[in-house]
Amino acid sequence: VAIFVQIDSASWRSPNYDRHNDGSPVLITPAGLLLHSSEGTQASDLPWLCSSRSLVSSTYYINRAGAIYQLVADNHRAWHAGVSSYDGLVDWNLAIGIELEHRAGQGAYPPAQLAALEQLCRAKIAQYGILRERIAAHRWVAQPPGRKLDPSDWSDADLRRWIARLFQPQIRRFVATYTTPIYESREHPDTVALNGRAVLLPGDVFEVDQDAGGWLHLANGVGFIPAGAAKEQL
Ligand SMILES: [Zn+2]
């Protein structure tokens, strides 16, 4: 399943990744996803991560508004983990590094930023077959233990729950804008679902676990409705 994520890969690029002596990039296969908080703001974070003087970078940067910038290619070894080892992976620079614009004390991450992070993680999990245990917080992998605390304002328990959710179908909330029958299948759209109500009325709110080919599949399993009859509740 291809997941569409809007990524700005042009505005900011970092030179901080491994190269061979001839200058060509060392190519890797991403081994996981490593989450960071920048402990700064975009205005200073992006120039720093993209400066050859800083010797640090990340693969992606997500600002508080949810815009995603790609600084380094997925198959280049960006410099975000430092000395690291966790759960059998000894170099977490081999993971895709994701920096979140966030400072300790700012509290909960904005919903738009979390939504962008979730979309990006889901896309990379699908693209590279990344395992659940290869998604980690910087503080879990940094050596020696205690060297890093990020991502800040995100407890281990909450983060583990959030990671577990990435491996469940994504449930999105929609609201019906037109009266529409619920169809049992897309192949035979004349068959109305018999279980429960057979129509959705304008204003009905419902959950969707699949959005493809012009159809929305209801998360309760009853059937499909045409995508044009509803809009997502954000
Ligand atoms: Zn970090």
Side-chain angles (χ1 to χ4, degrees):
V1 179
I3 299 170
F4 178 76
V5 190
Q6 200 167 339
I7 296 171
D8 180 344
S9 304
S11 298
W12 293 91
R13 300 298 286 191
S14 175
N16 300 327
Y17 53 84
D18 285 12
R19 294 162 208 265
H20 296 288
N21 288 336
D22 67 2
S24 64
V26 173
L27 297 181
I28 63 163
T29 300
L33 303 174
L34 189 60
L35 307 183
H36 304 264
S37 55
S38 67
E39 302 308 323
T41 60
Q42 175 173 342
S44 53
D45 292 340
L46 284 172
W48 178 248
L49 292 168
C50 296
S51 160
S52 59
R53 291 185 304 115
S54 72
L55 302 180
V56 294
S57 59
S58 65
T59 320
Y60 294 95
Y61 183 92
I62 305 178
N63 72 15
R64 289 173 63 78
I68 305 174
Y69 297 93
Q70 181 159 26
L71 315 185
V72 174
D74 288 359
N75 64 351
H76 296 178
R77 184 176 170 280
W79 303 337
H80 54 92
V83 178
S84 51
S85 177
Y86 178 70
D87 199 41
L89 181 59
V90 172
D91 174 12
W92 280 77
N93 283 316
L94 295 174
I96 287 172
I98 304 173
E99 283 280 359
L100 298 166
E101 181 192 17
H102 184 89
R103 274 192 153 125
Q106 277 181 316
Y109 291 72
Q113 188 178 32
L114 287 178
L117 176 64
E118 178 170 346
Q119 289 304 107
L120 179 64
C121 289
R122 284 178 178 274
K124 295 304 154 187
I125 288 165
Q127 189 174 352
Y128 300 113
I130 287 168
L131 303 173
R132 181 166 153 177
E133 55 268 29
R134 286 287 180 273
I135 303 175
H138 195 186
R139 63 174 174 271
W140 301 350
V141 312
Q143 299 294 330
R147 184 173 64 81
K148 289 288 177 179
L149 300 175
D150 65 312
S152 56
D153 298 328
W154 203 342
S155 74
D156 288 348
D158 283 350
L159 188 50
R160 285 185 207 285
R161 265 193 295 275
W162 187 87
I163 291 169
R165 266 194 31 215
L166 295 174
F167 293 86
Q168 292 159 4
Q170 186 169 23
I171 306 293
R172 293 153 68 199
R173 204 174 267 272
F174 282 72
V175 57
T177 46
Y178 300 99
T179 300
T180 176
I182 303 167
Y183 299 110
E184 275 184 322
S185 77
R186 294 170 291 185
E187 291 72 27
H188 305 284
D190 52 348
T191 57
V192 173
L194 299 173
N195 329 347
R197 273 168 63 185
V199 296
L200 291 177
L201 301 172
D204 277 352
V205 174
F206 57 98
E207 292 185 325
V208 165
D209 61 7
Q210 204 185 111
D211 173 6
W215 294 89
L216 302 174
H217 182 254
L218 305 189
N220 62 13
V222 167
F224 296 84
I225 69 157
K231 66 178 194 313
E232 187 166 8
Q233 253 195 347
L234 294 172

